[in-house]
Amino acid sequence: WFDIVISILSAHYMVEMGKGDLLFTRFSQWLKPGGILFLVLPRCQEEFPQTISFLPSLPKHPIFSAVMIEALCQEHSLQIDLLKPYVGGFGVIAKQLAQVNTPLWKILSYPLQVLINFFDGYSCLESASATWLVMAHKSAR
């Protein structure tokens, strides 16, 4: 049993393949009672912002609304301690800039992406968030 399990933008692959129940069963099995599950998950495409239309779109996923996250955790004895939007509008713009696929732009845009990401920490609005930050602990039951 582990004290902490961390999954950063990877759980959606299993869930999209129809194996979300198995994945969350494993999360619960791997954690000792009171152990922490730390997740960063993409938000479902209905909630996902498209900040600047002339920049490349980011990948969108049909999963991980707040309701879905709450249900998966509850079904697998995981008590949510934190469920909050993560990577706001500025962060989405930075990620869109990173998708521009020309070598010169990639070099020139990196400092701009870093600066934009810095401001994102001060402006993360739920309506403009691209991902979820989830912390849950395994119930003692």
Side-chain angles (χ1 to χ4, degrees):
W1 288 351
F2 296 98
D3 292 319
I4 188 166
V5 172
I6 300 171
S7 174
I8 308 295
L9 292 173
S10 59
H12 61 282
Y13 295 111
M14 293 285 291
V15 175
E16 287 174 342
M17 292 187 324
K19 297 183 179 183
D21 191 53
L22 174 63
L23 178 64
F24 276 75
T25 296
R26 293 290 189 255
F27 286 156
S28 185
Q29 290 172 342
W30 293 333
L31 286 168
K32 69 180 187 178
I36 301 294
L37 175 62
F38 182 88
L39 301 169
V40 176
L41 305 168
R43 287 182 78 174
C44 63
Q45 65 190 75
E46 291 83 26
E47 299 174 349
F48 193 92
Q50 179 62 40
T51 307
I52 299 183
S53 60
F54 62 84
L55 289 175
S57 296
L58 296 179
K60 296 183 181 180
H61 303 277
I63 55 171
F64 292 128
S65 65
V67 171
M68 180 185 194
I69 295 166
E70 290 166 351
L72 282 167
C73 286
Q74 183 177 12
E75 290 169 22
H76 296 92
S77 301
L78 298 165
Q79 176 67 41
I80 295 176
D81 300 312
L82 176 70
L83 173 59
K84 75 176 245 173
Y86 188 67
V87 183
F90 285 118
V92 172
I93 292 169
K95 291 184 181 312
Q96 285 182 274
L97 288 171
Q99 298 292 313
V100 176
N101 199 18
T102 61
L104 180 60
W105 173 249
K106 287 203 178 272
I107 292 168
L108 296 176
S109 72
Y110 185 74
L112 180 60
Q113 292 171 46
V114 170
L115 180 64
I116 290 172
N117 271 320
F118 172 78
F119 287 112
D120 189 57
Y122 298 102
S123 68
C124 186
L125 303 173
E126 184 170 336
S127 62
S129 175
T131 59
W132 292 110
L133 175 61
V134 182
M135 286 181 52
H137 68 273
K138 182 175 178 179
S139 300
R141 63 178 175 135

